[in-house]
Amino acid sequence: MATGANGPAIGNNSELQWYFSQVKGTVEEDITDADIITTVQFNHDGEFLATGDKGGRVVIFQKDLGAKGEYSVYSTFQSHEPQFDYLKSLEIEEKINEIQWLKRQNNNLFLLSTNDKTIKLWKVSERRYRMDGFNLYDEYGVQRDCRSVNSLRIPYLVPVDELTVEATPKRVYDKAHVYHVNSISLNSDDETFLSADDLRINLWHLDYINECYMVVDIKPANMEDLTEVITAAKFHPTNCNHFVYSSSKGTIRLCDMRAQALCDQHAKLFEEPEDTTNRSFFSEIISSISDVKFSSCGRYMVSRDYLTIKLWDLNMDCRPVETYNVHEYLRSKLCSLYENDCIFDKFEVVWGGPSNSILTGSYNNFFRIFDRNNTKEACFEASRESAKPKTQLKHCKVGVGPKRRKDEISVEMLDFNHKILHAHWHPKDNVIAVAATNNLYLFNGKHSGV
């Protein structure tokens, strides 16, 4: 639950009830490693939803007319291919790390996708007509004998029966990152974007592929002196000169590009004082921030570490104004989670509604929604067992110790191979998209009494 409930409370105070809407993907027996979803992102108006997977594919879904929380496949294309760096003898995976939508300016869609090294700008467009009436080709595309052409015809457009959607790479931004790209972020000016790897953050202009500016460089002269790495970077939603980046030491730095070109000196440092009573061997690992997001108004930030969510006020950098425990019951399991590498999982966190809800994932295909208006939290499971249209989701509870209630699941029974790492909230409606391994679940929320 939240501690220190500051910040605005906006919206309907009645509790949201969540209902199953759709599930996309194959059944678990047919899963392949390439099908595992690695990123989920709604576009700015929520009409389209994009997912990326380990196979380098991007799948775009379009909202069904007249149906809330239901989407159909709009386009699928191969964004990245596996590569090999011969100088470093390093294989570069095709896995999509992040997708960012550009604001829509016309009928075409534009989005950025990135793997570990290369960022691409894609144009997705519809083709409703085809050219006909060529002089040297017949209606079937077969070349005519030029000696049989007796008159000159002007080609014309003919409507087609089936809509064709094409994805075209417009720009390729590469050769700028030595380390793995972990995040990209579009600026509010709609012209520039950030790309961050473990030690550096670059600033790009969408129109220029051959040059970028390094705005953060934390690489020490001697790599043995390295104490932290960059985990995520995000632009401010309204101030084009402000951005933040999080680190593996649990800190968030706010930078102002007006102050200096190289933002090694931050404007503000957001860090919670260390609790020495709970310090252990795993303290540094679980304090690493895996994701950070601005609220829509830009006044607040939300960050996710392994066990908690913290909400920060940009005007107060000494401590978070709210803290939410995601799965505190795992604190006693940290040793086994370290042995199976689950302790290094990177969970995303997203805002919901007008920044009055927070969504994040957990293990056993659980995902949690924290309602800031009512200071309530809800835990649900993304499962095909409840995958019936308009079925209301049941609350899930985890019990610790030998005694537990009938409606609780033991922490010993949690499946750590099934986890919700990626999710996103519709920008205008109470619709959430949750990625569970190779399946994409869609749920819609309704206020009780409505």
Side-chain angles (χ1 to χ4, degrees), residues 221-238:
N222 186 354
M223 287 297 285
E224 293 181 357
D225 299 329
L226 183 67
T227 58
E228 62 179 332
V229 296
I230 298 169
T231 56
K234 289 292 182 292
F235 261 123
H236 192 278
T238 56

Side-chain angles (χ1 to χ4, degrees), residues 25 61 69 88 119 150 187 222 243 268 284 296 384 404 411 418 432 450:
F61 301 91
K88 298 181 179 180
I119 306 163
N150 299 320
N187 202 347
N222 186 354
F243 70 90
K268 280 191 175 183
E284 188 171 335
S296 56
R384 284 186 174 267
R404 66 178 191 274
V411 68
H418 291 78
I432 58 175
V450 177

Side-chain angles (χ1 to χ4, degrees), residues 59-344:
V59 181
I60 300 177
F61 301 91
Q62 184 178 23
K63 184 179 179 182
D64 295 340
L65 292 175
K68 180 181 177 181
E70 294 186 9
Y71 286 75
S72 299
V73 175
Y74 179 73
S75 176
T76 303
F77 60 92
Q78 188 72 32
S79 174
H80 288 71
E81 300 283 354
Q83 296 175 297
F84 191 82
D85 188 337
Y86 293 95
L87 292 176
K88 298 181 179 180
S89 297
L90 181 68
E91 185 178 358
I92 303 172
E93 290 183 316
E94 64 271 33
K95 176 175 74 76
I96 306 298
N97 292 338
E98 190 165 358
I99 291 173
Q100 287 281 300
W101 289 93
L102 276 67
K103 290 181 180 177
R104 199 169 183 179
Q105 306 291 341
N106 48 41
N107 291 331
N108 299 321
L109 301 172
F110 290 89
L111 59 84
L112 289 169
S113 63
T114 182
N115 67 348
D116 287 340
K117 298 290 183 180
T118 305
I119 306 163
K120 295 183 179 182
L121 173 64
W122 290 90
K123 173 187 175 182
V124 182
S125 56
E126 297 180 355
R127 180 189 291 180
R128 298 181 180 273
Y129 300 90
R130 62 177 176 84
M131 295 294 295
D132 205 351
F134 293 102
N135 291 282
L136 298 180
Y137 296 89
D138 60 19
E139 59 181 346
Y140 301 106
V142 179
Q143 188 172 2
R144 290 194 180 101
D145 186 350
C146 60
R147 292 171 296 183
S148 65
V149 179
N150 299 320
S151 61
L152 182 65
R153 297 189 298 174
I154 299 176
Y156 53 91
L157 294 174
V158 177
V160 295
D161 296 332
E162 294 184 3
L163 173 67
T164 303
V165 180
E166 295 180 335
T168 309
K170 303 299 291 184
R171 306 273 193 279
V172 177
Y173 313 90
D174 59 357
K175 300 182 177 65
H177 285 280
V178 178
Y179 307 97
H180 290 177
V181 177
N182 53 48
S183 60
I184 53 177
S185 178
L186 278 164
N187 202 347
S188 59
D189 62 10
D190 297 326
E191 293 183 350
T192 55
F193 69 93
L194 292 175
S195 61
D197 62 27
D198 292 340
L199 298 179
R200 297 187 176 102
I201 300 176
N202 293 331
L203 176 67
W204 300 82
H205 194 285
L206 288 169
D207 293 336
Y208 301 101
I209 62 173
N210 295 322
E211 61 181 22
C212 62
Y213 298 96
M214 188 186 304
V215 292
V216 173
D217 182 8
I218 65 170
K219 182 180 179 182
N222 186 354
M223 287 297 285
E224 293 181 357
D225 299 329
L226 183 67
T227 58
E228 62 179 332
V229 296
I230 298 169
T231 56
K234 289 292 182 292
F235 261 123
H236 192 278
T238 56
N239 298 336
C240 62
N241 48 278
H242 289 160
F243 70 90
V244 297
Y245 68 93
S246 57
S247 81
S248 58
K249 294 185 77 173
T251 61
I252 303 173
R253 292 174 173 86
L254 174 68
C255 300
D256 189 345
M257 292 188 291
R258 296 172 300 181
Q260 52 190 357
L262 187 61
C263 299
D264 286 345
Q265 299 298 322
H266 51 267
K268 280 191 175 183
L269 174 66
F270 299 86
E271 183 177 17
E272 185 177 30
E274 183 180 4
D275 183 5
T276 56
T277 59
N278 286 331
R279 181 161 183 81
S280 67
F281 171 78
F282 307 105
S283 295
E284 188 171 335
I285 301 175
I286 63 176
S287 66
S288 175
I289 296 175
S290 57
D291 195 16
V292 59
K293 299 278 175 52
F294 278 104
S295 62
S296 56
C297 66
R299 170 71 182 275
Y300 301 93
M301 296 183 300
V302 64
S303 65
R304 171 71 201 267
D305 57 40
Y306 190 69
L307 294 179
T308 65
I309 291 172
K310 295 181 176 67
L311 190 143
W312 303 84
D313 187 335
L314 262 63
N315 294 335
M316 187 177 74
D317 55 8
C318 60
R319 61 180 177 85
V321 294
E322 295 174 14
T323 300
Y324 300 89
N325 292 320
V326 180
H327 38 219
E328 182 64 22
Y329 47 80
L330 294 182
R331 189 175 290 275
S332 61
K333 307 281 292 182
L334 292 179
C335 185
S336 58
L337 292 169
Y338 177 79
E339 292 175 353
N340 61 20
D341 288 340
C342 285
I343 199 171
F344 301 105

Side-chain angles (χ1 to χ4, degrees), residues 389-428:
K390 299 181 180 180
T391 300
Q392 184 175 346
L393 301 185
K394 297 181 180 179
H395 290 254
C396 300
K397 299 179 182 179
V398 179
V400 181
K403 294 182 180 181
R404 66 178 191 274
R405 298 177 182 176
K406 292 182 179 180
D407 59 344
E408 292 181 342
I409 180 174
S410 171
V411 68
E412 305 294 335
M413 300 298 294
L414 295 177
D415 187 348
F416 294 102
N417 293 320
H418 291 78
K419 62 194 82 171
I420 304 293
L421 299 177
H422 313 285
H424 206 234
W425 198 302
H426 192 287
K428 296 182 179 180

